[in-house]
C-alpha cells in the first residue's frame, strides 16, 4: 500500500479518534477543573492559537516548495530554501515572543471579569503556551518536509500516538489532583517531544539538510507571496473559531467562556464527518478542474460529492436537532446546569446549520484552488467574518455566548450565498442544478425521518439508556428511509458493496 493511501487511512483514524476521545474527555476535564477554570483553560488556549497565525502559512509553503525541488532533483535549491525558511521562522518566533509579552502585560486589564486567583492561573498558562508556540512554529516545518517527501505515515502515526498518550496522561494527572496548569505543561511536553522526534526522522531517515548557499531578497519575497493567501485563510479561521474567545473574555465571566468553548467544540466535530467522505474524492476532482473539464462536468462531480456529504451531515444534524439538548445535558449537564447546557446546544446547532452548506460545497474550494482563484473567496470571507465578529461583539453584551456566535453565523451564511453567485457566474458551475439534484429523492426521505424522529422523542424514560434507545431507533429509521427512498443507484452500491464484500468473506 502506498504512503498516500496509508496516510489517508491514518487521517480518517485521526478524525475518528479526535472526535470520540474528545467527546469522552471533555466532560471528564470539565468535571475536575470546574466550569470557571475550564473556561480560562480553553480561552487562553484559543488566544495563543490566535497568535500562531504569525507563521504566515509557511508550513504549507514548505510542502509545496520541497515537493517542487524534489521533482526537479535540485538538492542545492532545497537546502537553500529550507535554510531560508528557518531564518524567516526565527524572526517569526521572536515576533511571537514580542507580541505575546506585549499582551501578557495587559492580561489584568483585559480580563475584567476574573478574580485575582483566576488571573494568576491565566498568566502562568499563557507564558507556558507562548514559549511552547515559539518553539513549535519552526518545529512544524519538519512535518511539512515529511509531506513534501510524501512520507505521510510516520508523522501521522506519531500524531496518533501523541494524542492517545496525551489523553491517558491527562486522565492520570487529573485523578491525582492536577489542574489546568498541569494540562498545559502536559501539552507542552508532548508538543515539543513530537517536534524533536519528527526532526530526528527528517535528518536521519530522509537525509534532509539545511544549508544557506545564498540569501536572495527576491526569493524571500517569493516565498512570502505564496504564503499570503494561506495567511488570509488563517485569519478567516481565526474569526470563525477564536475571535469569540477574545470578545467574551473581556466582558464575560469564565463560566460563559466554557459554554461558548464547548459549543464551538461540538460544532467543529460536525465538520470532521463530512471531511472523511469528501476527502476520498477530492484528488480526482482537483485533476478534473486542472484539466479541460466543462462547467457541467465539474457540476456533476460537485453534486456527487455534495450528495454523499449531505446524507452524512443530515443524519447528524437532524439527530442533534431532535435529541441534541438531551445529549448535552447528559454529557456536561452536571457541571453546566440546564441553562448552560441549553446555550451550549444552541451554539453548536447554529454552527452546524451554518457549516452545512460550506461542507456540502467543499469541492468548490478545490476548483478555486486549481484555477488559482482563491483570492476572491479569501477577501470576501475575511471581510465578512470580521464584520460578523463585530456584530457578535455587540450582541454578546446582551446575549453573551449565544449573541457572539449569532453574529459569526449570520456573516457565514451571507458569504456562502455570495460564493454561490461567484461559482455560477465566474466558475461556470450550474448552482441551480446542484441544489435541485442535491435534494432529489433525499427530501422525501428527510421528511419521513423528521416525522418519525419527532415521535421517537416521546419514548419514555431518561438517562443514557433512554438516549441510546432513541438514537438506535433513529439510526434504523434513517438508514432504511434513506436507502430505500433517498439514495440514487450508485449511492446504494457505494454503501452496499463493502457490506456484501465482508459477508462473502465469511
Amino acid at each position: 500500500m502506498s504512503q498516500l493511501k496509508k496516510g489517508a487511512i491514518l487521517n480518517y483514524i485521526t478524525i475518528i479518534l479526535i472526535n470520540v476521545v474528545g467527546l469522552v474527555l471533555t466532560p471528564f476535564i470539565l468535571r475536575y477543573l470546574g466550569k470557571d477554570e475550564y473556561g480560562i483553560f480553553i480561552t487562553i488556549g484559543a488566544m495563543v492559537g490566535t497568535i500562531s497565525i504569525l507563521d504566515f502559512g509557511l508550513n504549507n509553503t514548505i510542502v509545496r516548495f520541497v515537493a517542487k525541488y524534489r521533482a526537479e532533483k535540485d538538492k542545492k535549491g532545497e537546502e537553500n530554501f529550507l535554510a531560508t525558511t528557518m531564518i524567516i521562522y526565527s524572526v517569526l518566533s521572536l515576533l511571537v515572543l514580542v507580541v505575546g509579552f506585549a499582551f501578557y502585560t495587559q492580561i489584568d486589564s483585559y480580563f475584567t471579569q476574573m478574580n485575582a486567583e483566576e488571573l494568576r492561573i491565566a498568566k502562568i498558562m499563557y507564558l507556558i503556551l507562548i514559549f511552547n508556540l515559539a518553539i513549535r512554529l519552526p518545529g512544524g516545518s519538519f512535518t511539512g518536509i515529511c509531506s513534501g517527501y510524501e512520507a505521510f505515515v510516520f508523522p501521522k502515526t506519531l500524531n496518533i500516538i501523541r494524542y492517545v498518550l496525551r489523553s491517558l496522561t491527562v486522565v492520570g494527572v487529573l485523578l491525582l489532583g492536577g489542574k489546568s496548569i498541569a494540562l498545559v505543561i502536559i501539552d507542552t511536553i508532548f508538543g515539543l517531544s513530537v517536534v524533536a522526534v519528527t526532526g530526528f526522522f527528517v535528518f536521519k531517515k530522509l537525509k534532509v539538510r539545511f544549508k544557506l548557499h545564498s540569501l536572495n531578497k527576491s526569493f524571500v519575497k517569493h516565498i512570502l507571496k505564496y504564503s499570503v493567501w494561506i495567511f488570509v485563510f488563517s485569519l478567516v479561521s481565526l474569526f470563525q473559531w477564536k475571535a469569540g474567545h477574545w470578545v467574551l473574555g473581556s466582558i464575560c465571566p469564565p463560566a460563559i467562556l466554557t459554554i461558548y468553548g464547548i459549543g464551538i467544540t461540538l460544532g467543529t466535530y460536525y465538520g470532521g464527518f463530512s471531511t472523511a467522505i469528501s476527502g476520498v474524492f477530492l484528488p480526482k476532482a482537483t485533476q478534473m478542474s486542472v484539466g479541460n473539464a466543462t462547467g457541467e462536468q465539474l457540476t456533476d462531480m460537485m453534486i456527487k460529492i455534495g450528495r454523499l456529504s449531505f446524507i452524512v451531515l443530515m443524519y447528524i444534524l437532524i439527530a442533534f436537532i431532535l435529541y441534541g439538548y438531551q445529549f448535552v445535558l447528559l454529557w456536561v449537564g452536571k457541571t453546566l446546569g440546564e441553562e448552560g447546557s441549553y446555550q451550549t446546544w444552541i451554539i453548536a446547532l447554529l454552527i452546524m446549520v451554518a457549516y452545512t452548506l460550506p461542507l456540502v460545497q467543499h469541492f468548490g474550494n478545490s476548483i478555486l484552488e486549481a484555477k488559482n482563484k482563491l483570492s476572491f473567496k479569501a477577501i470576501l470571507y475575511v471581510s465578512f467574518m470580521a464584520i460578523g465578529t463585530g456584530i457578535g461583539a455587540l450582541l454578546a453584551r446582551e446575549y453573551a455566548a449565544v449573541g457572539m456566535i449569532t453574529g459569526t453565523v449570520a456573516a457565514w451564511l451571507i458569504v456562502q450565498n455570495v460564493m454561490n453567485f461567484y461559482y455560477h457566474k465566474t466558475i461556470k458551475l450550474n448552482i441551480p442544478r446542484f441544489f435541485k439534484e442535491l435534494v432529489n429523492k433525499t427530501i422525501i426521505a428527510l421528511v419521513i425521518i423528521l416525522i418519525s424522529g419527532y415521535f421517537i422523542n416521546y419514548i419514555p424514560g431518561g438517562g443514557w439508556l433512554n438516549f441510546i434507545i432513541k438514537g438506535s431507533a433513529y439510526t434504523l429509521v434513517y438508514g432504511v428511509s434513506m436507502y430505500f427512498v433517498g439514495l440514487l443507484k450508485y449511492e446504494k452500491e457505494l454503501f452496499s458493496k463493502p457490506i456484501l464484500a465482508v459477508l462473502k468473506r465469511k
Side-chain angles (χ1 to χ4, degrees):
M1 192 183 294
S2 69
Q3 282 273 325
L4 195 60
K5 288 181 179 178
K6 288 178 181 176
I9 291 169
L10 289 171
N11 208 32
Y12 299 142
I13 292 172
T14 302
I15 290 170
I16 294 168
L17 188 67
I18 289 173
N19 288 349
V20 173
V21 173
L23 287 171
V24 173
L25 209 55
T26 297
F28 184 81
I29 296 174
L30 180 59
R31 185 165 66 251
Y32 276 86
L33 295 187
K35 60 183 177 182
D36 290 332
E37 190 167 342
Y38 185 85
I40 301 168
F41 173 67
I42 58 175
T43 300
I44 294 297
M47 287 181 169
V48 175
T50 299
I51 298 173
S52 71
I53 67 168
L54 290 175
D55 81 333
F56 292 100
L58 267 181
N59 203 10
N60 286 29
T61 307
I62 286 172
V63 177
R64 192 253 187 188
F65 276 88
V66 167
K68 172 181 174 291
Y69 285 121
R70 284 193 70 225
E72 295 170 351
K73 293 182 170 48
D74 184 1
K75 195 67 179 175
K76 183 178 178 180
E78 179 189 302
E79 291 173 354
N80 194 61
F81 163 75
L82 291 174
T84 303
T85 57
M86 278 301 110
I87 294 172
I88 297 172
Y89 265 128
S90 299
V91 174
L92 293 178
S93 288
L94 182 61
L95 184 61
V96 164
L97 292 174
V98 171
V99 172
F101 181 74
F103 182 73
Y104 174 79
T105 61
Q106 302 300 314
I107 285 179
D108 287 289
S109 57
Y110 188 81
F111 291 112
T112 57
Q113 300 297 313
M114 289 186 187
N115 60 38
E117 177 60 16
E118 289 169 344
L119 284 171
R120 185 190 70 83
I121 293 169
K123 285 181 176 180
I124 294 173
M125 284 197 294
Y126 183 84
L127 284 175
I128 295 170
L129 288 174
I130 284 294
F131 166 76
N132 183 6
L133 179 61
I135 301 297
R136 283 195 302 109
L137 269 186
S141 63
F142 295 134
T143 303
I145 292 167
C146 290
S147 296
Y149 269 75
E150 296 184 343
F152 303 107
V153 173
F154 180 82
K156 289 184 184 298
T157 303
L158 182 64
N159 193 47
I160 290 171
I161 293 170
R162 178 197 67 83
Y163 194 77
V164 171
L165 291 179
R166 182 259 180 193
S167 300
L168 293 173
T169 306
V170 164
V171 171
V173 167
L174 289 175
L175 289 173
L176 291 172
K179 291 291 185 178
S180 55
I181 294 173
L183 299 191
V184 169
I185 293 171
I186 289 169
D187 285 336
T188 299
I189 291 171
F190 275 101
L192 297 183
S193 297
V194 166
V195 168
V197 174
T198 310
F200 181 82
F201 177 80
V202 165
F203 291 124
K204 294 297 181 181
K205 181 70 175 178
L206 300 182
K207 308 295 183 185
V208 172
R209 292 182 64 202
F210 294 62
K211 186 176 182 181
L212 187 66
H213 297 281
S214 64
L215 185 60
N216 190 317
K217 288 184 179 179
S218 62
F219 183 53
V220 174
K221 288 181 180 178
H222 182 59
I223 293 171
L224 295 177
K225 184 180 179 181
Y226 181 81
S227 301
V228 68
W229 294 116
I230 300 170
F231 171 67
V232 172
F233 276 109
S234 296
L235 287 176
V236 173
S237 179
L238 183 158
F239 284 121
Q240 284 177 325
W241 307 123
K242 295 184 174 67
H245 292 281
W246 282 90
V247 173
L248 294 172
S250 65
I251 62 174
C252 296
I256 299 298
L257 302 175
T258 296
I259 291 168
Y260 183 78
I262 294 177
I264 291 284
T265 299
L266 280 175
T268 53
Y269 285 161
Y270 180 65
F273 292 99
S274 173
T275 305
I277 296 292
S278 60
V280 177
F281 296 90
L282 289 179
K284 182 180 178 182
T286 304
Q287 290 171 10
M288 284 180 61
S289 56
V290 170
N292 297 317
T294 65
E296 291 299 323
Q297 288 173 326
L298 291 172
T299 303
D300 287 339
M301 181 59 75
M302 190 174 185
I303 290 166
K304 188 174 184 179
I305 298 171
R307 278 184 58 88
L308 291 171
S309 293
F310 186 66
I311 290 162
V312 173
L313 291 173
M314 285 303 99
Y315 168 75
I316 301 166
L317 182 60
I318 293 172
F320 198 75
I321 291 169
L322 294 171
Y323 321 113
Y325 178 51
Q326 181 183 359
F327 167 75
V328 175
L329 266 177
L330 292 168
W331 187 47
V332 292
K334 288 181 180 178
T335 308
L336 295 186
E338 288 190 15
E339 180 60 28
S341 298
Y342 180 75
Q343 290 181 32
T344 298
W345 173 60
I346 291 295
I347 290 167
L349 185 57
L350 287 172
I351 293 170
M352 290 179 185
V353 170
Y355 212 175
T356 299
L357 189 54
L359 288 171
V360 168
Q361 294 186 321
H362 189 57
F363 173 60
N365 194 68
S366 294
I367 298 173
L368 294 178
E369 190 171 350
K371 293 180 178 292
N372 199 25
K373 291 183 179 292
L374 279 173
S375 57
F376 175 81
K377 181 177 180 179
I379 294 169
L380 181 73
Y381 256 82
V382 79
S383 301
F384 270 87
M385 295 311 296
I387 293 169
T389 299
I391 294 170
L394 293 174
L395 293 172
R397 297 190 178 278
E398 181 70 27
Y399 304 104
V402 174
M404 184 66 238
I405 200 63
T406 300
T408 303
V409 162
W412 206 352
L413 291 171
I414 293 169
V415 165
Q416 196 59 28
N417 280 292
V418 173
M419 282 306 303
N420 275 316
F421 283 102
Y422 185 76
Y423 287 144
H424 190 68
K425 294 295 184 182
T426 305
I427 310 300
K428 304 303 179 186
L429 292 173
N430 191 336
I431 295 300
R433 182 164 74 86
F434 169 81
F435 281 110
K436 182 181 177 181
E437 296 195 27
L438 183 71
V439 299
N440 179 29
K441 296 186 75 177
T442 58
I443 191 68
I444 301 171
L446 291 176
V447 170
I448 295 169
I449 291 161
L450 268 169
I451 294 170
S452 302
Y454 175 78
F455 286 107
I456 287 171
N457 225 346
Y458 282 96
I459 294 174
W464 281 109
L465 180 60
N466 175 261
F467 176 77
I468 291 169
I469 292 170
K470 287 179 181 176
S472 301
Y474 166 79
T475 300
L476 181 63
V477 168
Y478 192 94
V480 172
S481 301
M482 194 57 72
Y483 187 84
F484 289 102
V485 181
L487 298 187
L488 302 176
K489 185 179 178 181
Y490 84 91
E491 292 165 346
K492 289 182 180 180
E493 291 175 353
L494 196 65
F495 284 104
S496 62
K497 277 184 178 179
I499 297 172
L500 292 172
V502 173
L503 291 174
K504 283 181 181 179
R505 286 178 188 175
K506 290 182 178 181

